[in-house]
Amino acid sequence: MAIQTLDVDDLAARTGNIYETVAILSKRARQIASNEQTEIEEKLQYFEGFGPEMEDVHMQEEQAAASKEFEKRPEPTERAIKDFVDDELYFRHANEE
């Protein structure tokens, strides 16, 4: 996705405070990054059990393809902002029930 200008006032209006918005977005971005990290570790764990077979060109290509798949994904921050702007992100105050 190309770089876009965001209306800070629009983002702040959703929570009432731009700092709270930034905190929500950063927490969501960390969640996304953590989930992606777990996912890629699971995919690459498949290749750990191989010894000399790992020198096979086909195996190396498969491992590289798995890594490149994750590199092509949008950044976690970008995805968190998109979720927030599209109203797909649920958030609440901890002291509220």
Side-chain angles (χ1 to χ4, degrees), residues 34-87:
S34 176
N35 291 343
E36 282 186 353
Q37 182 68 27
T38 303
E39 189 178 342
I40 193 168
E41 284 175 358
E42 288 174 359
K43 284 191 175 197
L44 294 179
Q45 192 174 29
Y46 168 77
F47 298 102
E48 287 180 5
F50 297 100
E53 299 91 20
M54 198 53 205
E55 294 179 13
D56 180 28
V57 175
H58 182 67
M59 291 291 283
Q60 291 175 354
E61 288 175 357
E62 285 183 33
Q63 188 176 12
S67 296
K68 287 180 183 178
E69 174 190 340
F70 285 91
E71 290 176 6
K72 291 180 182 178
R73 292 183 181 181
E75 292 293 320
T77 305
E78 183 180 340
R79 291 173 50 199
I81 292 171
K82 184 181 180 317
D83 289 351
F84 189 78
V85 170
D86 293 344
D87 288 327

Side-chain angles (χ1 to χ4, degrees), residues 5-20:
T5 304
L6 297 173
D7 184 10
V8 177
D9 294 329
D10 181 44
L11 292 176
R14 296 170 190 262
T15 61
N17 185 334
I18 189 64
Y19 300 106
E20 185 175 350

